[in-house]
Amino acid sequence: MTWLEYNEALQELRTDSEVVVGTGAQATWRVRRADLMPRHFIVSTSADGAAIRPFSSDAVVTVNGRQLGAGNSRLTDGDLIGAGSGEFRFWATVPGETRSVAKAPVAAHLLDLRRHSALSLHRVSTGIGRDDSNVLVIDDDAAASFHAEVRREAGGHALRASDSGPVRVNGRVVSAPVMLNEGDEIEIATLCLRYTREELPEGVGAEMAQRITSSIGEEMAAVQSRRVRSSSVEGLSSAVTVRAPMRAVAFVSSVIAAVAIATLLLLHRGP
Protein backbone atom coordinates (compact mmCIF):
# COMPACT_ATOMS: atom_id res chain seq x y z
CA MET A 1 0.00 0.00 0.00
CA THR A 2 1.34 3.46 -0.94
CA TRP A 3 0.63 6.86 0.55
CA LEU A 4 0.76 10.56 -0.25
CA GLU A 5 1.33 12.90 2.68
CA TYR A 6 0.77 16.62 3.17
CA ASN A 7 1.13 18.41 6.52
CA GLU A 8 0.77 15.08 8.37
CA ALA A 9 -2.45 14.25 6.50
CA LEU A 10 -2.31 10.96 4.56
CA GLN A 11 -4.03 9.99 1.31
CA GLU A 12 -4.04 6.28 0.49
CA LEU A 13 -3.00 5.35 -3.06
CA ARG A 14 -4.65 2.10 -4.11
CA THR A 15 -3.14 -0.10 -6.81
CA ASP A 16 -4.33 0.55 -10.37
CA SER A 17 -5.85 3.90 -9.53
CA GLU A 18 -5.25 7.62 -10.00
CA VAL A 19 -5.40 10.43 -7.47
CA VAL A 20 -5.86 13.98 -8.74
CA VAL A 21 -4.54 16.56 -6.27
CA GLY A 22 -5.85 20.13 -6.36
CA THR A 23 -8.36 22.57 -4.92
CA GLY A 24 -11.30 22.05 -7.28
CA ALA A 25 -14.40 19.91 -6.95
CA GLN A 26 -13.04 17.44 -9.53
CA ALA A 27 -9.88 16.74 -7.53
CA THR A 28 -9.70 13.38 -5.76
CA TRP A 29 -7.76 14.93 -2.89
CA ARG A 30 -8.73 18.55 -2.30
CA VAL A 31 -5.96 20.42 -0.51
CA ARG A 32 -6.66 23.88 0.83
CA ARG A 33 -4.20 26.68 1.60
CA ALA A 34 -1.47 25.37 -0.69
CA ASP A 35 -1.98 27.73 -3.67
CA LEU A 36 -2.74 24.79 -5.96
CA MET A 37 -4.65 24.86 -9.22
CA PRO A 38 -8.12 23.19 -9.27
CA ARG A 39 -6.41 20.06 -10.64
CA HIS A 40 -2.67 20.38 -10.15
CA PHE A 41 -1.06 16.94 -10.49
CA ILE A 42 -1.91 13.26 -10.82
CA VAL A 43 -0.37 10.29 -9.04
CA SER A 44 -1.10 6.94 -10.67
CA THR A 45 -0.31 3.52 -9.24
CA SER A 46 0.02 0.06 -10.76
CA ALA A 47 1.66 -3.25 -9.98
CA ASP A 48 4.91 -1.79 -11.36
CA GLY A 49 4.93 1.17 -8.96
CA ALA A 50 3.79 4.79 -8.87
CA ALA A 51 4.20 7.73 -11.25
CA ILE A 52 3.40 11.43 -11.18
CA ARG A 53 2.64 14.00 -13.86
CA PRO A 54 1.38 17.61 -13.94
CA PHE A 55 -2.31 17.86 -14.83
CA SER A 56 -1.58 20.49 -17.50
CA SER A 57 1.32 22.45 -18.97
CA ASP A 58 0.40 25.39 -16.70
CA ALA A 59 0.93 23.37 -13.52
CA VAL A 60 4.42 23.53 -12.01
CA VAL A 61 5.43 20.36 -10.15
CA THR A 62 8.85 19.35 -8.85
CA VAL A 63 10.18 16.08 -7.44
CA ASN A 64 13.21 16.47 -5.17
CA GLY A 65 13.72 19.96 -6.62
CA ARG A 66 13.58 18.93 -10.30
CA GLN A 67 10.79 20.33 -12.45
CA LEU A 68 8.68 17.70 -14.19
CA GLY A 69 7.81 17.61 -17.86
CA ALA A 70 4.46 16.65 -19.37
CA GLY A 71 4.91 12.87 -19.17
CA ASN A 72 4.89 10.43 -16.26
CA SER A 73 7.83 10.41 -13.85
CA ARG A 74 8.44 7.44 -11.61
CA LEU A 75 8.17 7.95 -7.84
CA THR A 76 10.35 6.24 -5.25
CA ASP A 77 9.95 5.93 -1.50
CA GLY A 78 10.42 9.23 0.33
CA ASP A 79 10.31 11.47 -2.76
CA LEU A 80 9.49 15.11 -2.00
CA ILE A 81 6.87 16.65 -4.31
CA GLY A 82 6.64 20.43 -4.63
CA ALA A 83 3.43 22.04 -5.90
CA GLY A 84 2.01 25.48 -5.22
CA SER A 85 3.25 26.57 -1.80
CA GLY A 86 2.99 23.03 -0.43
CA GLU A 87 5.30 20.04 -0.14
CA PHE A 88 4.04 16.47 -0.39
CA ARG A 89 5.84 13.24 0.48
CA PHE A 90 5.40 9.95 -1.35
CA TRP A 91 5.67 6.75 0.67
CA ALA A 92 5.94 3.43 -1.16
CA THR A 93 5.17 1.38 1.96
CA VAL A 94 4.60 2.55 5.53
CA PRO A 95 4.89 6.33 6.01
CA GLY A 96 8.24 7.21 7.54
CA GLU A 97 8.98 9.40 10.50
CA THR A 98 9.91 12.40 8.34
CA ARG A 99 6.84 14.55 7.95
CA SER A 100 6.14 17.14 5.26
CA VAL A 101 5.54 20.39 7.10
CA ALA A 102 5.04 23.91 5.84
CA LYS A 103 8.30 25.78 5.37
CA ALA A 104 9.10 29.46 5.28
CA PRO A 105 9.04 30.92 1.75
CA VAL A 106 12.36 31.04 -0.06
CA ALA A 107 13.89 34.55 0.02
CA ALA A 108 14.91 35.64 -3.47
CA HIS A 109 15.38 38.75 -5.62
CA LEU A 110 15.42 39.88 -9.22
CA LEU A 111 18.74 41.67 -9.55
CA ASP A 112 19.32 44.53 -11.99
CA LEU A 113 23.09 45.06 -12.00
CA ARG A 114 22.90 47.88 -14.54
CA ARG A 115 20.83 50.01 -12.17
CA HIS A 116 22.32 48.59 -8.95
CA SER A 117 18.89 47.60 -7.63
CA ALA A 118 17.02 44.45 -6.65
CA LEU A 119 13.32 43.59 -6.45
CA SER A 120 12.22 41.41 -3.54
CA LEU A 121 10.16 38.34 -4.48
CA HIS A 122 8.42 38.12 -1.11
CA ARG A 123 4.93 38.09 -2.65
CA VAL A 124 3.10 34.99 -3.84
CA SER A 125 2.84 36.69 -7.23
CA THR A 126 5.07 39.39 -8.75
CA GLY A 127 3.65 40.89 -11.94
CA ILE A 128 5.96 42.39 -14.56
CA GLY A 129 4.85 44.66 -17.40
CA ARG A 130 3.97 48.15 -18.59
CA ASP A 131 0.69 48.48 -16.66
CA ASP A 132 0.88 50.45 -13.40
CA SER A 133 -0.78 47.62 -11.45
CA ASN A 134 2.34 45.43 -11.83
CA VAL A 135 4.87 45.15 -9.02
CA LEU A 136 7.67 45.72 -11.52
CA VAL A 137 6.55 48.41 -13.98
CA ILE A 138 8.58 48.73 -17.19
CA ASP A 139 8.24 52.05 -19.05
CA ASP A 140 9.05 50.60 -22.45
CA ASP A 141 6.85 50.26 -25.52
CA ALA A 142 8.48 46.87 -26.18
CA ALA A 143 6.93 45.54 -22.95
CA ALA A 144 3.34 44.28 -22.85
CA SER A 145 0.89 45.55 -20.25
CA PHE A 146 1.12 42.22 -18.43
CA HIS A 147 4.27 40.64 -19.79
CA ALA A 148 5.25 38.02 -17.21
CA GLU A 149 4.73 36.82 -13.66
CA VAL A 150 7.02 35.27 -11.06
CA ARG A 151 5.09 33.01 -8.67
CA ARG A 152 6.29 31.53 -5.42
CA GLU A 153 5.62 27.81 -5.82
CA ALA A 154 7.04 24.29 -5.66
CA GLY A 155 9.59 25.32 -3.06
CA GLY A 156 11.02 28.12 -5.19
CA HIS A 157 9.90 30.55 -7.88
CA ALA A 158 8.39 29.87 -11.28
CA LEU A 159 8.44 32.32 -14.18
CA ARG A 160 5.25 32.44 -16.22
CA ALA A 161 5.27 34.26 -19.56
CA SER A 162 2.12 35.74 -21.07
CA ASP A 163 1.26 35.44 -24.74
CA SER A 164 1.75 39.19 -25.24
CA GLY A 165 5.51 39.26 -25.73
CA PRO A 166 8.64 37.10 -25.70
CA VAL A 167 10.39 36.18 -22.47
CA ARG A 168 13.86 34.63 -22.47
CA VAL A 169 15.60 32.66 -19.76
CA ASN A 170 19.33 32.25 -20.36
CA GLY A 171 18.78 33.25 -23.98
CA ARG A 172 16.00 30.72 -24.63
CA VAL A 173 12.42 31.81 -25.33
CA VAL A 174 10.02 30.23 -22.83
CA SER A 175 6.27 29.81 -23.09
CA ALA A 176 5.42 27.21 -20.43
CA PRO A 177 6.12 27.97 -16.75
CA VAL A 178 9.76 27.38 -15.79
CA MET A 179 11.33 27.02 -12.35
CA LEU A 180 14.08 29.57 -11.78
CA ASN A 181 17.53 28.52 -10.62
CA GLU A 182 20.30 30.54 -9.04
CA GLY A 183 21.89 32.91 -11.56
CA ASP A 184 19.23 32.52 -14.27
CA GLU A 185 19.11 35.58 -16.55
CA ILE A 186 15.66 36.80 -17.56
CA GLU A 187 15.14 39.07 -20.57
CA ILE A 188 11.89 41.04 -20.83
CA ALA A 189 11.71 43.74 -23.52
CA THR A 190 15.05 45.60 -23.17
CA LEU A 191 15.42 44.66 -19.50
CA CYS A 192 17.81 41.98 -18.23
CA LEU A 193 17.36 40.62 -14.69
CA ARG A 194 19.17 37.94 -12.70
CA TYR A 195 17.41 35.60 -10.28
CA THR A 196 19.27 35.09 -7.02
CA ARG A 197 18.72 33.62 -3.57
CA GLU A 198 22.12 34.74 -2.35
CA GLU A 199 23.03 37.81 -0.35
CA LEU A 200 22.80 40.97 -2.43
CA PRO A 201 26.04 42.60 -3.62
CA GLU A 202 27.35 45.53 -1.61
CA GLY A 203 25.66 48.78 -2.55
CA VAL A 204 22.55 47.10 -3.98
CA GLY A 205 19.37 47.72 -2.00
CA ALA A 206 16.20 45.61 -2.09
CA GLU A 207 12.93 47.27 -3.08
CA MET A 208 9.36 46.10 -2.51
CA ALA A 209 8.16 47.56 -5.83
CA GLN A 210 9.96 49.16 -8.71
CA ARG A 211 9.48 51.29 -11.80
CA ILE A 212 12.09 50.99 -14.52
CA THR A 213 12.60 53.14 -17.59
CA SER A 214 14.27 51.22 -20.38
CA SER A 215 17.65 52.26 -21.76
CA ILE A 216 15.87 53.55 -24.86
CA GLY A 217 13.52 55.58 -22.70
CA GLU A 218 16.42 56.97 -20.70
CA GLU A 219 18.21 57.99 -23.89
CA MET A 220 15.05 59.69 -25.20
CA ALA A 221 14.66 61.53 -21.90
CA ALA A 222 18.29 62.68 -22.09
CA VAL A 223 17.82 63.87 -25.68
CA GLN A 224 14.65 65.72 -24.68
CA SER A 225 16.49 67.34 -21.79
CA ARG A 226 19.29 68.44 -24.10
CA ARG A 227 16.72 69.85 -26.51
CA VAL A 228 15.09 71.85 -23.74
CA ARG A 229 18.45 73.24 -22.61
CA SER A 230 19.41 74.01 -26.21
CA SER A 231 16.10 75.79 -26.80
CA SER A 232 16.64 77.88 -23.68
CA VAL A 233 20.13 78.91 -24.79
CA GLU A 234 18.91 79.71 -28.30
CA GLY A 235 16.06 81.78 -26.86
CA LEU A 236 18.47 83.72 -24.66
CA SER A 237 20.82 84.29 -27.61
CA SER A 238 17.94 85.51 -29.76
CA ALA A 239 16.82 87.87 -27.03
CA VAL A 240 20.33 89.34 -26.75
CA THR A 241 20.57 89.64 -30.54
CA VAL A 242 17.26 91.50 -30.72
CA ARG A 243 17.95 93.75 -27.76
CA ALA A 244 21.37 94.97 -29.07
CA PRO A 245 20.08 96.98 -32.10
CA MET A 246 17.14 98.24 -30.03
CA ARG A 247 19.56 99.71 -27.51
CA ALA A 248 21.56 101.37 -30.34
CA VAL A 249 18.40 102.96 -31.76
CA ALA A 250 17.43 104.24 -28.33
CA PHE A 251 20.89 105.79 -27.86
CA VAL A 252 20.79 107.56 -31.25
CA SER A 253 17.29 108.84 -30.53
CA SER A 254 18.38 110.28 -27.20
CA VAL A 255 21.34 112.04 -28.85
CA ILE A 256 19.10 113.58 -31.54
CA ALA A 257 16.65 114.74 -28.89
CA ALA A 258 19.46 116.37 -26.88
CA VAL A 259 20.77 118.23 -29.97
CA ALA A 260 17.27 119.44 -30.82
CA ILE A 261 16.74 120.80 -27.31
CA ALA A 262 20.11 122.60 -27.37
CA THR A 263 19.27 124.19 -30.73
CA LEU A 264 15.93 125.47 -29.47
CA LEU A 265 17.58 127.03 -26.42
CA LEU A 266 20.13 128.86 -28.57
CA LEU A 267 17.42 130.22 -30.88
CA HIS A 268 15.38 131.38 -27.91
CA ARG A 269 18.26 133.41 -26.45
CA GLY A 270 18.94 135.11 -29.75
CA PRO A 271 22.18 136.92 -30.86
Side-chain angles (χ1 to χ4, degrees):
M1 188 177 295
T2 55
W3 304 85
L4 197 60
E5 178 193 357
Y6 173 71
N7 273 3
E8 299 189 354
L10 294 171
Q11 172 68 38
E12 183 181 351
L13 304 173
R14 298 183 181 276
T15 305
D16 296 324
S17 66
E18 285 189 345
V19 171
V20 180
V21 181
T23 59
Q26 294 178 309
T28 309
W29 190 15
R30 299 179 68 182
V31 178
R32 308 288 188 182
R33 299 181 298 277
D35 300 317
L36 298 177
M37 300 178 71
R39 288 179 288 182
H40 205 102
F41 65 90
I42 300 172
V43 176
S44 57
T45 57
S46 66
D48 296 329
I52 183 174
R53 68 180 185 274
F55 185 83
S56 70
S57 60
D58 288 331
V60 175
V61 183
T62 62
V63 174
N64 301 326
R66 180 179 61 85
Q67 185 176 359
L68 301 183
N72 282 325
S73 297
R74 194 172 185 82
L75 288 171
T76 58
D77 190 48
D79 277 349
L80 188 63
I81 302 167
S85 60
E87 288 188 343
F88 299 77
R89 184 80 65 171
F90 171 76
W91 300 111
T93 53
V94 179
E97 295 182 358
T98 303
R99 290 289 186 259
S100 298
V101 296
K103 295 181 179 179
V106 173
H109 296 85
L110 291 180
L111 185 61
D112 185 350
L113 291 175
R114 181 175 176 271
R115 296 172 178 81
H116 302 287
S117 63
L119 178 67
S120 172
L121 296 175
H122 66 285
R123 298 173 175 82
V124 173
S125 172
T126 299
I128 304 172
R130 200 172 64 247
D131 192 88
D132 286 339
S133 63
N134 289 291
V135 177
L136 176 54
V137 180
I138 305 175
D139 286 332
D140 188 339
D141 290 339
S145 297
F146 302 96
H147 205 111
E149 175 193 22
V150 177
R151 285 192 64 84
R152 192 178 68 215
E153 55 184 314
H157 293 89
L159 176 68
R160 296 175 177 270
S162 69
D163 297 329
S164 303
V167 176
R168 290 179 171 82
V169 176
N170 300 326
R172 180 174 60 89
V173 176
V174 297
S175 54
V178 58
M179 290 296 294
L180 294 173
N181 298 307
E182 178 63 38
D184 279 349
E185 292 192 352
I186 305 165
E187 296 176 50
I188 299 175
T190 57
L191 186 65
C192 184
L193 303 168
R194 181 181 298 170
Y195 175 80
T196 182
R197 299 182 183 182
E198 297 179 350
E199 186 177 349
L200 294 178
E202 186 176 353
V204 176
E207 300 180 23
M208 298 298 105
Q210 207 169 21
R211 189 180 195 97
I212 291 178
T213 301
S214 69
S215 56
I216 296 176
E218 290 173 350
E219 291 173 3
M220 291 179 64
V223 169
Q224 185 66 24
S225 177
R226 287 196 295 270
R227 286 177 178 172
V228 170
R229 290 197 298 270
S230 177
S231 298
S232 300
V233 172
E234 289 176 359
L236 179 60
S237 176
S238 299
V240 172
T241 303
V242 171
R243 287 172 184 169
M246 290 179 65
R247 288 175 179 171
V249 171
F251 175 74
V252 172
S253 299
S254 62
V255 171
I256 293 173
V259 171
I261 292 172
T263 302
L264 290 173
L265 289 174
L266 289 173
L267 292 174
H268 180 71
R269 290 178 182 177

